[in-house]
Amino acid sequence: MAYDPLMPRISAGLLMFRRRGGGPEVLLAHPGGPFWAKKDLGAWTIPKGEMAKGEDELTTARREFEEETGIRPEGPFHPLGSVEQRAGKVVHAWAFEGDVDPAAIRSNSFRAPWPPGSGQWRTFPEVDRAEWFAFDEARRRINPGQAPLLSALEALLAGPGAPPST
């Protein structure tokens, strides 16, 4: 997809959650590549990616989750709404319940020139690691533009129509 600075970039993703004795936890992904290597607080994200032409948001979210984690997500999927990140990217998100060992995450990769100006290309994983976090810690780690998705999931889990435990 060609970048058009006049059009908002649109992504879609999934926020996996699990229920533990100490309360719910969410799975966040840390972006791979040299730009993100030393960044932590505010750098984590839900597994997400840009929509392909003609693809609907939930299909994109499911595809991107699988590409970035190596795990095929199974519903039901609960809409969390959309957020706009600081740079203008719009992210549509859904939550689903599941459990996975973060060490089992296998991400697809991308190529980038590195080091800058060297003329050399290196391959990096889109996601270099994933971890489970309780909501309070997740708020410290997640990209600030995506923090409202955590609040939406908390409201969903606390509400009268909360999804039953799987």
Side-chain angles (χ1 to χ4, degrees):
M1 176 184 323
Y3 175 70
D4 180 349
L6 301 177
M7 294 295 294
R9 292 172 44 217
I10 300 174
S11 288
L14 297 177
L15 180 57
M16 181 188 278
F17 69 94
R18 68 181 183 184
R19 302 174 213 228
R20 293 291 169 145
E25 296 176 328
V26 294
L27 184 74
L28 297 180
H30 186 271
F35 177 79
W36 298 102
K38 296 186 185 319
K39 295 179 179 7
D40 188 48
L41 298 181
W44 294 71
T45 183
I46 68 169
K48 62 171 180 37
E50 292 193 17
M51 295 177 57
K53 185 174 183 174
E55 191 173 49
D56 70 67
E57 290 94 346
L58 183 54
T59 299
T60 298
R62 294 178 72 179
R63 174 182 50 80
E64 287 292 332
F65 188 91
E66 187 169 358
E67 286 179 5
E68 293 190 358
T69 66
I71 298 160
R72 180 168 298 208
E74 300 293 334
F77 301 101
H78 309 281
L80 298 177
S82 303
V83 295
E84 185 174 338
Q85 297 182 166
R86 186 173 34 181
K89 179 186 281 188
V90 175
V91 179
H92 302 282
W94 288 261
F96 75 103
E97 189 165 4
D99 201 355
V100 64
D101 176 359
I105 298 296
R106 297 292 176 257
S107 176
N108 59 348
S109 58
F110 68 96
R111 287 176 36 90
W114 192 257
S118 69
Q120 298 177 21
W121 286 77
R122 292 193 43 206
T123 301
F124 302 97
E126 278 197 54
V127 168
D128 61 16
R129 64 189 183 277
E131 287 186 40
W132 288 103
F133 297 107
F135 281 106
D136 287 345
E137 186 61 21
R139 278 193 178 79
R140 290 176 17 91
R141 304 287 181 115
I142 199 166
N143 175 315
Q146 294 176 29
L149 300 174
L150 299 173
S151 298
L153 177 56
E154 276 185 312
L156 175 74
L157 294 177
S165 294
T166 57

